[in-house]
């Protein structure tokens, strides 16, 4: 089957929500509200249409990734960044590279748009293969309590994190719910 990755279109919201719900249905640490976060962000200033990507096989949504606007604010000022969440692959297509395709496609597009970094809270063992490192290595923190090893950041360009440190500021729609 051919896997294509493309930007979300105007008629894709329901299929994306269904795929996201299925991806997280059996994940123990999930609050099963990831699809609601996507819906909130879609109506927010944090939304970047080019960075909501879906993976499709035979016209069926099998995965989705979302990067939305955030910032890293420290003593030396505020730098734009992107928050990656959620990343979803439907259970029967997991472990076949769909997640990797989505992550790499999102990084390429984010770089093309001029972004220097991506932040996320997730599984270090999964994301380190894409170059993510602990936020602590860059003196970056998140505004909520979560184990440090789950807080990661990626420089999209060689100087993408130069002089960047401080606290991640998420869109209100990312935090609420
Ligand atoms: C996590 C997820 C997005 C990965 O997508 P995927 O298409 O299954 O993953 P890929 O095929 O690209 O990569 C497979 C690799 O990731 C690893 N992997 C997958 N899920 C993992 C997890 N939860 N923890 C650690 N490693 C994981 C696999 O062991 C495999 O490793 P290998 O290449 O060394 O064999 C997908 O499994 C998913 O949607 N899970 C449920 C939702 C979820 O937990 N999302 C949050 C991520 S923070």
């Amino acid at each position: 089957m051919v896997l294509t990755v493309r930007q979300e279109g105007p008629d894709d919201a329901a299929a994306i929500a269904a795929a996201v719900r299925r991806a997280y249905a059996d994940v123990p640490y999930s609050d099963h509200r990831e699809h609601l976060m996507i819906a909130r962000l879609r109506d927010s200033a944090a939304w970047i249409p080019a960075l909501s990507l879906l993976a499709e096989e035979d016209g069926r949504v099998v995965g989705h990734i979302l990067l939305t606007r955030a910032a890293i604010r420290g003593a030396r000022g505020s730098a734009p960044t992107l928050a990656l969440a959620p990343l979803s692959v439907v259970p029967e297509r997991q472990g076949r590279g769909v997640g990797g395709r989505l992550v790499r496609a999102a990084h390429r597009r984010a770089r093309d748009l001029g972004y220097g970094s991506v932040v996320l809270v997730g599984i270090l063992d999964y994301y380190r293969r894409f170059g993510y490192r602990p936020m602590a290595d860059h003196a970056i923190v998140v505004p909520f309590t979560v184990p440090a090893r789950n807080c990661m950041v990626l420089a999209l360009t060689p100087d993408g994190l130069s002089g960047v440190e401080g606290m991640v500021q998420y869109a209100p729609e990312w935090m609420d719910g």
Side-chain angles (χ1 to χ4, degrees):
M1 256 181 290
V2 180
L3 181 82
T4 53
V5 172
R6 65 168 173 85
Q7 181 178 325
E8 171 184 331
D11 301 323
D12 293 322
I16 290 171
V20 171
R21 292 184 79 164
R22 291 187 55 229
Y24 283 89
D26 294 327
V27 176
Y29 52 79
S30 165
D31 62 4
H32 309 292
R33 295 169 66 86
E34 293 82 5
H35 61 295
L36 300 177
M37 182 177 83
I38 295 171
R40 282 197 308 276
L41 285 164
R42 198 179 274 117
D43 288 335
S44 81
W47 188 257
I48 302 168
L51 297 181
S52 176
L53 303 180
L54 57 86
E56 214 170 34
E57 273 176 353
D58 287 345
R60 203 169 72 87
V61 177
V62 296
H64 175 259
I65 189 169
L66 181 62
L67 272 61
T68 47
R69 287 190 182 90
I72 301 170
R73 178 175 293 235
R76 286 185 280 175
S78 184
T81 189
L82 295 165
L84 190 166
L87 170 65
S88 318
V89 177
V90 295
E92 68 275 14
R93 306 306 290 163
Q94 289 177 8
R96 297 163 188 252
V98 177
R101 282 274 304 272
L102 284 166
V103 171
R104 292 192 175 90
H107 288 169
R108 267 196 308 278
R109 288 168 190 232
R111 209 176 287 118
D112 290 348
L113 290 173
Y115 284 92
S117 64
V118 180
V119 296
L120 65 82
V121 177
I123 307 154
L124 181 58
D125 284 346
Y126 182 66
Y127 287 103
R128 76 164 98 229
R129 72 193 65 206
F130 305 111
Y132 284 86
R133 295 289 170 263
M135 283 185 192
D137 291 358
H138 294 274
I140 297 169
V141 294
V142 293
F144 41 79
T145 305
V146 63
R149 62 176 278 109
N150 296 125
C151 300
M152 286 162 264
V153 62
L154 172 77
L156 288 168
T157 58
D159 62 351
L161 284 170
S162 298
V164 177
E165 60 175 42
M167 184 175 283
V168 180
Q169 280 193 309
Y170 292 97
E173 295 81 2
W174 198 94
M175 301 283 286
D176 293 343

